[in-house]
Amino acid sequence: MLNSRPMELRRYETSDQDQVAALWKECGLATAANNPYRDIQRKTANSPELFFVGEEQGQIVASCMAGYDWHRGWIYYLAAAPSLQGKGLNARIMRHAEKALLGSGCPKIGLMVGKINARASVFCSKMGCQSDPGGAEQAFI
């Protein structure tokens, strides 16, 4: 971590936009199909209360977007700064989003994980996720 103070978890604020977009790019989450600025705009127009960031010393070091369609909750853009990965940041922000979803009455949460993303698969296993029995690239909590 950047200092001895723990990461502060909070809702996304408009002033976080550039730092969040940079984090996603650094983590390989921003692609031609996933324009970070467009996705942030969509999220903040829809359900901004389910968009979280982790901050240390004024720097965004983690993010998590959650969505809920009244059938299942979903986790998107779960990211931690590469230099801080392995320190529990993703787990903390994921649990924060999970708590918010469950508090909204969400009965089941899915996390899309590509088969080629071995690190994400290991993370899901550590978090207690279970693979979709149909073989889809999803983990359900």
Side-chain angles (χ1 to χ4, degrees), residues 75-141:
I75 300 298
Y76 307 94
Y77 285 111
L78 179 64
S83 63
L84 299 174
Q85 289 177 1
K87 299 186 183 302
L89 276 63
N90 273 329
R92 283 195 57 215
I93 201 162
M94 174 76 177
R95 291 294 183 217
H96 186 78
E98 179 183 13
K99 184 177 178 181
L101 286 167
L102 295 174
S104 297
C106 178
K108 192 174 194 179
I109 302 169
L111 170 66
M112 297 298 259
V113 178
K115 289 181 182 179
I116 60 170
N117 193 338
R119 290 180 70 181
S121 295
V122 170
F123 170 78
C124 285
S125 294
K126 287 180 180 179
M127 293 294 290
C129 301
Q130 301 172 359
S131 295
D132 178 32
E137 300 168 21
Q138 304 165 357
F140 296 100
I141 298 171

Side-chain angles (χ1 to χ4, degrees), residues 61-87:
V61 296
S63 76
C64 183
M65 276 188 187
Y68 180 33
D69 63 12
W70 310 111
H71 171 70
R72 177 174 291 133
W74 290 99
I75 300 298
Y76 307 94
Y77 285 111
L78 179 64
S83 63
L84 299 174
Q85 289 177 1
K87 299 186 183 302

Side-chain angles (χ1 to χ4, degrees), residues 13 15-16 19 22-23 26 51 54-57 60-63 67 71-73 80-81 84-85 97 107 110 124 139:
E13 298 172 359
S15 60
D16 299 327
Q19 285 192 60
L23 173 67
E26 187 179 13
F51 188 0
E55 181 180 18
E56 289 187 356
Q57 292 184 328
I60 302 300
V61 296
S63 76
H71 171 70
R72 177 174 291 133
L84 299 174
Q85 289 177 1
C124 285

Side-chain angles (χ1 to χ4, degrees), residues 6-11 52-55 62 89 92-93 96:
M7 176 178 67
E8 175 193 352
L9 296 174
R10 61 173 175 77
R11 282 180 48 182
F52 306 105
V53 296
E55 181 180 18
L89 276 63
R92 283 195 57 215
I93 201 162
H96 186 78

